[in-house]
Amino acid sequence: RFSRDRGGEHPVAHLKDWQGILQADAYAGYNPLYRGDRKPGPVLSALCWSHARRKFFELADVEGNIRKGKDAREISPVAFEAVKRIDALFDIEREIAGLDPAARLEARKAHAAPQVAALELWLRAQRAQLSKHAKVAKAIDYLLSPDHWPGFTRFLEDGRVCLSNNAAERSLRGVALGRKSWLFAGFERGGQRAAFMYSLIGTAKLNNIDPQAWLADAIARISDIPVSRLPELLP
């Protein structure tokens, strides 16, 4: 779905009749979807632990700080420990990758849930000792915010939820790189047509069909098929 900007009204309009779990970052534009009075009902948020980890990692990256000319002593020990604890959750996810949702949920309740509970207690204890202006305090607040924490722990309630939305962001990387190479879509109809073609090519990939072969076949046949039968060309 194409939109001219990143305004929150676009996802709200796109998902206006949909209800389910939205795996995403904490972009404020999604917030109207989570409201309790939303019709047909609130969307449930599943937030991304990679985004939460990144905020701590930037404060614990020894090599990165040295490259920037900073003293290694500027590394936050709290951030360093937070990264280690979050990495342990990703280790669990790597072990259960490919299992069905029920098996993933069972493993998470046994192994990840205790670690998440311990992480929360530890972070709250650390936060109580920090100034609100401390950089690591802001990273902790992002994770433990009452608006965010239920979304971060959603993966412990539903085996379909992922620990991060990295897969979605990877799938969009080609769109972002392409847009930069083309100097955007040129005009609004161009953007809408790009979204249309991405949908068709993405559908082909999901059905294990070579997009280039499908497109060549569809173009070769489309002029001989009446409009009423065009759906036959879909991948």
Side-chain angles (χ1 to χ4, degrees):
R1 186 68 67 93
F2 169 80
S3 58
R4 298 184 67 173
D5 53 48
R6 295 187 68 248
E9 67 272 15
H10 303 302
V12 169
H14 180 36
L15 302 174
K16 64 183 177 65
D17 297 318
W18 177 78
Q19 192 176 6
I21 298 174
L22 178 65
Q23 181 99 51
D25 58 19
Y27 169 50
Y30 298 135
N31 289 347
L33 297 169
Y34 308 139
R35 288 177 48 176
D37 60 353
R38 176 182 179 266
K39 303 296 181 183
V43 169
L44 297 178
S45 168
L47 292 179
C48 173
W49 280 85
S50 285
H51 281 79
R53 178 187 181 278
R54 186 180 306 150
K55 294 180 182 300
F56 292 107
F57 183 82
E58 289 171 353
L59 300 173
D61 183 6
V62 177
E63 294 181 359
N65 275 281
I66 291 174
R67 285 196 301 270
K68 295 174 184 176
K70 295 182 179 180
D71 193 314
R73 289 174 296 180
E74 293 185 40
I75 296 302
S76 165
V78 174
F80 193 82
E81 177 65 20
V83 170
K84 286 173 58 179
R85 291 179 180 237
I86 294 173
D87 282 350
L89 298 177
F90 279 95
D91 288 340
I92 294 170
E93 288 299 303
R94 277 188 280 273
E95 290 292 325
I96 63 176
L99 299 182
D100 63 72
R104 282 169 30 140
L105 183 59
E106 183 179 356
R108 286 168 175 173
K109 286 182 176 180
H111 304 292
Q115 294 196 29
V116 171
L119 173 64
E120 181 187 9
L121 288 175
W122 177 77
L123 285 173
R124 293 194 185 281
Q126 299 301 315
R127 180 64 182 87
Q129 303 175 51
L130 295 167
S131 160
K132 66 178 182 180
H133 301 294
K135 291 181 180 179
V136 72
K138 295 178 181 179
I140 294 174
D141 290 344
Y142 175 84
L143 184 58
L144 295 183
S145 161
D147 293 331
H148 291 174
W149 187 247
F152 280 117
T153 55
R154 188 80 59 198
F155 80 106
L156 299 174
E157 304 168 4
D158 193 315
R160 297 171 301 168
V161 174
C162 294
L163 197 62
S164 76
N165 69 333
N166 286 346
E169 295 208 352
R170 279 195 300 270
S171 71
L172 286 171
R173 186 171 296 150
V175 179
L177 291 175
R179 181 183 60 191
K180 184 177 181 181
S181 299
W182 312 321
L183 195 58
F184 303 97
F187 56 105
E188 194 157 336
R189 281 184 66 192
Q192 292 164 352
R193 288 182 178 180
F196 184 80
M197 292 306 299
Y198 270 121
S199 296
L200 290 171
I201 291 169
T203 301
K205 289 180 177 179
L206 288 171
N207 286 279
N208 295 317
I209 295 171
D210 178 352
Q212 187 172 359
W214 165 76
L215 193 57
D217 176 70
I219 291 173
R221 295 166 53 199
I222 196 167
S223 61
D224 298 323
I225 288 185
V227 172
S228 61
R229 292 178 53 199
L230 282 179
E232 295 177 18
L233 295 180
L234 291 173

